[in-house]
Amino acid sequence: MAKKEQKIGLITTTSLVVGGVIGAGIFLLPSSLAAYGSISILGWLFTATGALILAKIFSNFSKIIVNKSGGPYTYSKAGFGDFIGFLVAWGYWISCWISNAGLALAIVGALSVFFPALNTDPILKVSVGLGMIWFFTWVNSRGIKATGKVQVVTTVLKLLPLAFVILAGIFFFDSDNFPAFNLTGESDFATIPVVAALTLYAFLGIEGATIPAENVENPEKTIPRATMLGTIIVVLVYILSTIVLFGILPVDVLANSPAPFAEAGEIIGGKYAGYFVAAGAAISAIGCLNGWILMSAQLPLAVAKDKMFPRVFARENKNGAPIFGIVIGSVLTTIILLLNISDGLVEQFTFIVNLTVLACLVPYLFVSASYIIVLIEKKTHINSFLKTFVLGSLGFAYSIWAIFGSGSETVFYGFLLLLAGIPFYVLMQWNKRKK
C-alpha cells in the first residue's frame, strides 16, 4: 500500500518548536527564581539571547542543508563527519526516550491537582503515565500530520492560560510585591550565572523544526521562519510571565508555591480561573510529550537512512511514520517509567534525567562549530565570513557555558553516556563494510 503524503506547514512546524520547548517546567520555575530576586530576569535575558543565537544558527543551517531530516545530527555530521554525527545522534536519541518518562510523570503531577489519588497511589501514577506514553505512540503512528494537529491544539491550549496570566495579571500588578534585585547576599556577578543556569534547560528543544525537515513544506523557507518565530514566542512568554508573577504574588508566597501560575490565576479570576491555569500545566506537558515522541523516532530515522543506526529505524508504515522507531523509543521509556514505581528509585531516576541534559547541549556545541566549517567549505554567500564566524563563535561560547553550568557530575556521567555509543558505532561500521 502506498504511503500517504505527509507534509506540515508553518503553523504546525512552529508548534513543534513552541510545544517542544514549553513543558511543565515553566509553571514551576518562577517559584525557584523568586528566592534570588528580580536579578533572575537578567538570567532570563542572558539565556534568551543564547537561545536566539542558536535558533539563528539552526535557521541558517536549514537553508544550507535543505530537505534533509535529522537537525542536530545532520548539521554536526556535515562539519565533523560520521563519527561526531553518530555520537550527537546517539546521545540525543537516548535523552529523548529517557526524558519522555519524566514528561509522563510531569503530566501525572499536574493532573494530581484534580485527582489527588495520583499523589498517593504509585501504581495508579505509573499506569496513567504509561497510558499517556502509549496513547501518543498511537497518535504518532498515524503520521506526522496527525501528530502535528495534536501539537497545534495543545500548543494553543498551553499558551492560553499563560497569556491570560500575563495580560490579565497586569491589572493585578503590585510593585510592592516585586522582589528586591538580589536576595541572596552574594554579589550580583556571582548570582547571575546561577539564575541563568536555572533558566537554561527551559530552552532545550529550539531545534525541533529541523528534525523532521523532509516532512516540511518548502523547508528552506518554513523551517527558518518556524525556528525563529517559535523561539521568539517562547522568550516572550518566559520573561513576561515571570515579571507579572513577581508583581502579583509576594516573594515569600511565590518562593514556596508548588503552583504559582494557578495561585496567580485564582487571584485574578477566582477558583475556576486557578483550575483553568492548572489545567494548562497538564496540557503543556501533554503537548511536550507528543512532540518529543515524534523527535525520538524522526532523528534515528535520519541516522538509519545513512546506515549508522539499525535499518529497523528506517522502516515506515502506510502513514509514512517510522513505526519501529516510535515503538522502540516508547518501550524504552516504559522500562524507565516502571523503574520509578518504587519510591526508592526516584532519586536515581532524577539523576538519569538530569545527566541526559548534556546529550542535548553537546549537539548545540557541534552545530555551532560545524556552521562555520560548512560555510567555509561550501563558500556559500548566506553570510559574510565575519558574520558567520561571529554567530558561530557566540553559539559555541554559549554552548560551552551551558555545559559548564550543568555541573561537573552531570558532565562526567553524560560524557560516559556518549562514550558508551562508540561500540555501537564500530558495530554499524563493521556491518556496513561487511555488506
Side-chain angles (χ1 to χ4, degrees), residues 56-248:
K56 183 61 176 173
I57 291 172
F58 276 99
S59 295
N60 287 352
F61 237 140
S62 68
K63 299 175 189 175
I64 301 166
I65 302 176
V66 181
N67 204 29
K68 173 69 174 161
S69 294
Y73 154 73
T74 300
Y75 302 158
S76 299
K77 178 174 174 284
F80 291 97
D82 287 356
F83 178 62
I84 293 299
F86 172 85
L87 282 186
V88 164
W90 167 263
Y92 197 93
W93 175 64
I94 289 176
S95 73
C96 284
W97 51 260
I98 291 181
S99 298
N100 283 347
L103 282 171
L105 288 177
I107 294 170
V108 174
L111 290 175
S112 66
V113 173
F114 306 96
F115 308 102
L118 290 171
N119 267 332
T120 56
D121 189 337
I123 300 294
L124 182 61
K125 176 178 71 173
V126 172
S127 298
V128 172
L130 289 175
M132 289 291 173
I133 289 166
W134 286 101
F135 173 73
F136 289 110
T137 299
W138 173 78
V139 169
N140 274 264
S141 74
R142 307 297 298 169
I144 196 168
K145 275 192 171 182
T147 304
K149 288 176 182 176
V150 171
Q151 198 69 358
V152 170
V153 171
T154 54
T155 298
V156 171
L157 291 177
K158 80 168 67 178
L159 289 177
L160 281 176
L162 292 171
F164 168 72
V165 170
I166 292 170
L167 296 175
I170 294 173
F171 299 99
F172 293 82
F173 192 94
D174 185 348
S175 58
D176 291 337
N177 289 331
F178 210 76
F181 185 69
N182 189 344
L183 297 173
T184 65
E186 302 289 335
S187 69
D188 296 345
F189 185 77
T191 305
I192 288 176
V194 176
V195 294
L198 278 174
T199 61
L200 171 69
Y201 309 124
F203 286 103
L204 295 179
I206 56 172
E207 68 284 351
T210 67
I211 292 177
E214 292 172 30
N215 294 108
V216 176
E217 294 175 355
N218 301 317
E220 69 278 7
K221 293 181 179 179
T222 302
I223 293 174
R225 290 172 182 170
T227 300
M228 294 308 300
L229 179 59
T231 305
I232 290 168
I233 290 171
V234 168
V235 166
L236 291 175
V237 167
Y238 283 169
I239 295 177
L240 293 177
S241 62
T242 301
I243 292 172
V244 169
L245 280 186
F246 277 179
I248 295 177

Side-chain angles (χ1 to χ4, degrees), residues 40-54 193 195-203 235 238 398 401:
S40 55
I41 295 170
L42 291 183
W44 272 126
L45 292 172
F46 181 84
T47 49
T49 301
L52 288 168
I53 289 169
L54 291 173
V195 294
L198 278 174
T199 61
L200 171 69
Y201 309 124
F203 286 103
V235 166
Y238 283 169
Y398 175 76
W401 177 86

